Amino acid sequence: MNKTDIAPGTGVKPFGSQTARRLNPKKLLLSKWTAVTPHDKEKHFIVTGVIEPEPPATRIERIELEAVYSRRVFSLSWRDLTDRKQWVQGWQ
């Protein structure tokens, strides 16, 4: 089956057209990200910290992002980086 074999309106998306990406939270440290809509000249970011949960057996939920331009640091859920409408992996 090719991409052209998919009927329009069936809800089946061709490979590569997903709006979310799969990430491994253990490999996020020092990864680079670009904000799709920059604010206050903050476009490029680096993951500077992975916030470990209190009971070590639970999963990582939050990360710290640092803006390259202003050095401002803020925390957010690592899953927010999977939204391609907000974040692009790497520096674009």
Side-chain angles (χ1 to χ4, degrees), residues 74-86:
F74 62 95
S75 172
L76 77 150
S77 171
W78 71 268
R79 288 183 179 89
D80 290 343
L81 296 175
T82 62
D83 185 3
R84 291 181 190 222
K85 294 177 183 174
Q86 294 181 14

Side-chain angles (χ1 to χ4, degrees), residues 15-83:
F15 179 76
S17 68
Q18 306 165 16
T19 57
R21 69 175 60 84
R22 297 185 71 155
L23 294 174
N24 184 345
K26 293 179 181 178
K27 295 183 179 182
L28 284 174
L29 189 61
L30 301 179
S31 62
K32 299 174 183 178
W33 295 88
T34 300
V36 173
T37 54
H39 298 284
D40 299 326
K41 298 183 182 180
E42 295 177 340
K43 180 177 180 178
H44 298 118
F45 296 84
I46 298 177
V47 176
T48 57
V50 176
I51 301 171
E52 298 288 334
E54 193 59 40
T58 59
R59 294 182 178 178
I60 296 168
E61 290 296 323
R62 301 197 64 78
I63 60 167
E64 288 183 347
L65 274 181
E66 180 177 330
V68 175
Y69 179 75
S70 66
R71 300 288 186 218
R72 183 175 66 98
V73 177
F74 62 95
S75 172
L76 77 150
S77 171
W78 71 268
R79 288 183 179 89
D80 290 343
L81 296 175
T82 62
D83 185 3

